Every structure is written in C-alpha cells, then in structure tokens.
C-alpha cells in the first residue's frame, strides 16, 4: 500500500514509522522543507521501538518518499493521514488540494484531537471518504485510534487499515470535541488540578496515586467494567441501585478549579519536584520504556 | 510482627493474604463466625497470586488466628487494619474497643474509602495513633495505599509498614472524601457516563478507548506529568500558557449526567454487551491476570 503523511511534526513522524514498519510506502509532505527532509532521521527511534515491540514482523520495510507538494504526496495513495496544525481553514484548504489529487477511493483521515468531522468535512467534494482517526500520544506506541466518519463502509475500511497496524480502533457514534480519550483525560485532570489547588495532596502524590491505583487498573479494566465488578455478582445493576446515589453526591462535590497564576505556579513547581532534575527527554524515554514493557507483557499491540 | 484484621469481607481477606505472605501473624475477627472461619479457605487464591508476583520471597508465612472478639484480636499487635462497613458510629464503637485492648504504640489503620479521619477519630483515647490507610481494589494486587493521619511520626511508621509489604504509599496533606484515587475515578466516570448518555459512544467503546489510551498511559505516567511532557521542552509552564485556556473551555463543556432510569439501562445493557456472556468471576480472573502480567513486567510491586 501507499500512504501520504501530511504534516511532519511529532504525530506525522510517529505515523510514518508505524506505516513503514508494516511495509507501506510513505509519501511525506510538510510546508517546511527542513521538517520533511528531517523525517528520515527522526523515524529512527520510533522504528526501533516498534521493532522491539515485534510489530511488522516478517514484512519488508516500506519506502520513504519526500514530496514538495501535498498533491504529489497524494498520487496513487490508499490513505492520506493529515497531521496539520489544529486550524479549520488550514485543514480544509489542504483537503481541497488532496481531494482532487488522490484516487477517488482513497481514504482521507485526520489525526485531529480537538476538531470535529462536521466542521472539517465542509467543502469536500467526496466527504464520504473522510474520517477523523485520532491517535493517542505517543502515537506509534499507544494502541488506540478513535475513528468517526459518516459513511459506514469507509469507517470499516479505515478500521481494517489501522487494525492491520496492530492498532485498537474505537468507533464513535457521533463526532464530539475531544472524542472519547481526551474528554476522559480532561475530566480526570480537572479533579487532579483541584486536589492540588485545594491542598489535599501535592502534584507528585496525585500522580503516584494515579499510576499505582486507578491508572494501573484502567490499563486492564475500563471504568464502566470496574463498577460492574464493584457490584459483585449483581454487577452494574446492583452497583447503580446501591451506590448510584452516592456517586451522584460525590460528583456534586468534585472541584471546579481555575488556572489562576497561583494554581499554575503550584502545578509547575509540583511537576518540577516530581521530575527531580530529569529533563523532558529523559522523562519521555522512561515513559516509552514503561509503555513498551507493559505492551509486551500484555500483548495488547 | 502481629497484625489484627477487623472485618473479613473482600478487603479484609485481601489484607490478610498480604500480611501472611510477608510473615506477619494475623488475628482476624468478624462479627460473623462464618465469615471469620471462612478466611482460611478464602485466602488461598490471593496468596497464590502474591507468590506468583514474587512477594514475600524468602520469608516464612505468618500464622492465621481466628478471634471471637475484637479485643482478643488486638492483643499484642503492632497494627490493626479495620475493614468494617462504611458507618461512622459502627467504626467508632470498634475503635473504642481496640483502643483499650491494643498496645499503646500499636497503629490503628482504617481501610475506609468514603469516610474521613476527622469524623472517625472523634472519641478515641489515642487519636495520634490512628490513620486512614486506603487500598485500591483488588487490594492485594494494587500497589497503592493512600495514607492520612495527624501525627507525622505515626504516618511515617505506617508508610514504612506498608512499603515493607511492597506497597506504594501516598501521603495526603489533609483528609478529603474519596482521598485521591476515588476522587479521580469518580471524576473520570462522570464523563464516561456522559459520553454514553449523550450518544457519543457505547459503553464497550468507552472502556476500550480508556484501556488502550489514557488508562495504559496513566499506568506509566501521571496526569500532571503527561501535560508536562505534552508541553515539550518548555514543560508544564509552556503547556499552561499555551493550552491552559483551551483546557478551561473543555472543562466547561464536560457533561453533568444524571443517573436516570434510562441512563442506568444504557449502562447495564452496555456492560452486558461488553461482558459478552462472561460472569463477574470470569471477568475478575481476567482482570487479575492482566494486573499480574503488568505488575511483573514493570516491577512496580
């Protein structure tokens, strides 16, 4: 297969490594020649990590092709993965260009995290072939891809494409800002900020509680299923009838923090204490090692 | 060491297995003779799982002692772990009994998930030795123990005790309903319910997105640290100045679901579809296998 990657930032590079390891030829484009010419070097680490995970085993690597224009990248592709900045007019203009250049049955997929299908598809000649396909950072390691589109056949084809890359696809019934994962992340972080702002615990303690408690459990069992198990043999029905009212009371007491300068200072000082001198690059390397160990152990990718 | 376990439900049995594997003698008491006499059989599975995790290696097992009265269980102990129902007068009455019977330097720890230190300590002769020490279900597998107490020396002793059991302790600055972990869980579940109630996605898709996305990442990197990494080389300060306002807007759009009969029906039918015929016991066994594989791979217990 041939895939076009439009936008060669962190997410575009991550997708490129994943596609190449699975044997797809990848035509990359970015308005910055430096960015697109740097892809060859920047894919080295993610490709090595993917090989460590055993992805693409037995497949020969695809070819990396650098293109000066998006139309050139879209020639003869099966799928376009767009990773441009989160700006509706900019993305729409790009779709107009590739919509005309790509084969009529090619899927056009957006990695957008904060924009929605209905806003992005406006003006497309073939909106039925457009989907949002949102990965979770770091995209080459995280199995999740959240998909929404209006044409069920296109959505099914997109799901099959990403599943072949070892991804776990999730289908939305309707488009929503933040899809599922970022809505859940935002809701949790609001309370995580509140706990710090309200003096209940420090940043590092909140993070440690999450990693060794709910986070660890949510890497195995979803939030709904956890309450089903919490209900004992009667499951979710028993849980809701016995503890539903107390959950609603708990919801009403959750915080509504504001990111005032004081709260921001607490958060910044708190993560600095948690980082304990480790740079962002060192912390990312530790994160990747932890993710790789977990994914290998659980065989979830 | 000798430990008393008061209340032999799921949590009491889980603690008992953990204490025994680490070589502590455990005196168990429950108002129900059937419950306390059943402990010997019910600890078999959690003890086998703890051995699989390599916990307590090189230590000889402690002795299990069944007691007819809480005062008897508290004789000569180093720590009392109370797991009675979540009822303030009931717990206070129990503390009065063991406060008089336990050695004066013994720690009295409550597993309470929804009550707070300030309410529970009322009336104790020695409140300085009282802490809340909340585990996360299933308690013998999950590393987290959230601790709050008013006497720093007692809190430090309690931390050392649980850390010796391979636990990851987290210290609260002040007591709060739901400590940290259940507040975060409640906040996330509110949005997880909203996504279903609002027709964005089904229960099974929400759970799959969490498990393969934020849950997996939160098992490695906390929520605050994730935004620090999301800020690139500038870290949390850069993230807050650039994306803080959009997070505040996102917070204002998160749902405020109500557990109406219709929403409850959606949740119950949704987890039934997700369970796909698996019983709660089968689902628990799968959860435990996933947790054990993850904990072994990451060496986090």
């Amino acid at each position: 297969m041939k895939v076009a990657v439009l936008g060669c930032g962190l997410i575009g590079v991550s997708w490129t490594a994943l596609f190449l390891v699975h044997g797809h030829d990848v035509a990359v484009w970015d308005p910055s020649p430096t960015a697109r010419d740097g892809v060859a070097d920047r894919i080295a680490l993610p490709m090595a990590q993917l090989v460590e995970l055993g992805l693409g085993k037995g497949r020969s690597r695809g070819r990396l092709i650098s293109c000066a224009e998006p139309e050139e990248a879209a020639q003869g592709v099966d799928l376009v993965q767009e990773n441009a900045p989160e700006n509706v007019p900019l993305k729409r203009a790009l779709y107009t260009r590739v919509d005309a250049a790509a084969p009529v049955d090619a899927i056009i997929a957006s990695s957008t995290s904060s924009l929605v299908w209905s806003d992005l598809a406006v003006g497309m000649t073939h909106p039925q072939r457009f989907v949002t396909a949102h990965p979770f950072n770091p995209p080459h390691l995280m199995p999740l891809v959240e998909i929404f589109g209006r044409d069920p056949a296109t959505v099914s084809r997109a799901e099959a494409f990403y599943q072949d890359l070892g991804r776990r696809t999730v289908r939305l019934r309707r488009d929503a800002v933040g899809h599922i994962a970022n809505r859940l992340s935002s809701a949790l972080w609001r309370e995580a900020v509140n706990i710090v702002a309200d003096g209940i615990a420090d940043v590092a303690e909140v993070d440690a509680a999450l990693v060794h408690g709910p986070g660890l459990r949510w890497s195995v069992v979803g939030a709904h299923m956890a309450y089903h198990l919490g209900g004992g043999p009667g499951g979710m029905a028993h849980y809701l009838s016995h503890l539903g009212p107390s959950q609603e009371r708990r919801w009403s007491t959750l915080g509504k923090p504001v990111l005032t300068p004081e709260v921001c200072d607490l958060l910044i000082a708190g993560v600095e204490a948690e980082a304990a001198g480790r740079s962002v690059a060192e912390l990312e390397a530790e994160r990747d090692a932890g993710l790789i160990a977990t994914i290998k152990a659980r065989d979830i990718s």
Side-chain angles (χ1 to χ4, degrees), chain A:
Chain A
M1 282 203 193
K2 185 182 170 195
V3 182
V5 167
L6 308 182
C8 300
L10 180 72
I11 294 168
V13 165
S14 198
W15 277 126
T16 300
L18 186 71
F19 298 148
L20 289 171
V21 160
H22 285 86
H24 302 324
D25 294 332
V26 185
V28 298
W29 170 81
D30 191 283
S32 152
T34 317
R36 60 178 188 255
D37 293 341
V39 172
D41 286 338
R42 289 160 63 216
I43 56 176
L45 175 64
M47 285 187 77
Q49 291 176 324
L50 290 166
V51 169
E52 192 183 342
L53 278 179
L55 284 174
K57 202 179 273 181
R59 303 197 194 181
S60 53
R61 304 283 168 266
R63 276 188 317 136
L64 177 67
I65 308 143
S66 182
C67 298
E69 301 297 338
E71 291 86 348
E72 183 192 342
Q75 293 292 327
V77 295
D78 299 278
L79 183 137
V80 173
Q81 187 79 42
E82 168 273 308
N83 320 281
E86 295 287 74
N87 174 316
V88 174
L90 187 151
K91 284 184 193 272
R92 281 188 192 162
L94 204 48
Y95 300 154
T96 302
R97 296 175 69 178
V98 295
D99 208 3
V104 72
D105 59 346
I107 294 171
I108 300 180
S110 174
S111 300
T112 186
S113 66
S114 62
L115 304 174
V116 292
W117 192 96
S118 346
D119 287 338
L120 293 174
V122 172
M124 288 185 83
T125 314
H126 307 291
Q128 73 281 0
R129 59 144 126 184
F130 176 65
V131 297
T132 53
H134 175 244
F136 203 69
N137 192 48
H140 63 291
L141 295 182
M142 299 298 302
L144 179 63
V145 181
E146 303 179 276
I147 300 180
F148 179 76
R150 288 274 168 81
D151 177 49
T154 304
V155 171
S156 296
R157 282 170 56 217
E159 285 174 337
F161 172 80
Y162 294 108
Q163 286 167 10
D164 177 64
L165 305 170
R167 302 297 99 176
R168 177 59 162 85
T169 59
V170 159
R171 191 190 283 224
L172 276 77
R173 281 183 173 274
R174 67 172 183 80
D175 57 356
V177 173
H179 316 292
I180 300 169
N182 280 340
R183 294 184 75 91
L184 297 179
S185 298
S186 185
L188 181 129
W189 195 49
R190 176 160 61 169
E191 185 57 24
V193 170
N194 175 60
I195 289 170
V196 174
D198 215 21
I200 298 171
D202 296 339
V203 162
E205 301 291 283
V206 173
D207 277 356
L210 178 57
V211 166
H212 299 87
L216 173 59
R217 201 172 68 187
W218 285 326
S219 76
V220 175
V221 176
H224 292 302
M225 185 55 79
Y227 287 110
H228 183 58
L229 299 183
M236 180 67 95
H238 180 82
Y239 179 82
L240 288 168
S241 65
H242 283 68
L243 293 171
S246 71
Q247 270 285 355
E248 288 185 313
R249 279 196 300 277
R250 177 81 50 92
W251 289 346
S252 70
T253 68
L254 294 173
K256 293 181 182 119
V258 177
L259 294 171
T260 60
E262 293 72 27
V263 169
C264 288
D265 286 347
L266 276 176
L267 295 173
I268 293 164
V271 287
E272 270 170 22
E274 186 181 356
R278 293 168 293 177
S279 68
V280 166
E282 287 169 320
L283 292 162
E284 281 175 344
E286 285 181 28
R287 173 197 66 191
D288 291 355
L291 287 174
I292 289 169
T294 308
I295 293 168
K296 283 173 85 164
R298 302 262 315 287
D299 198 21
I300 48 182
S301 176

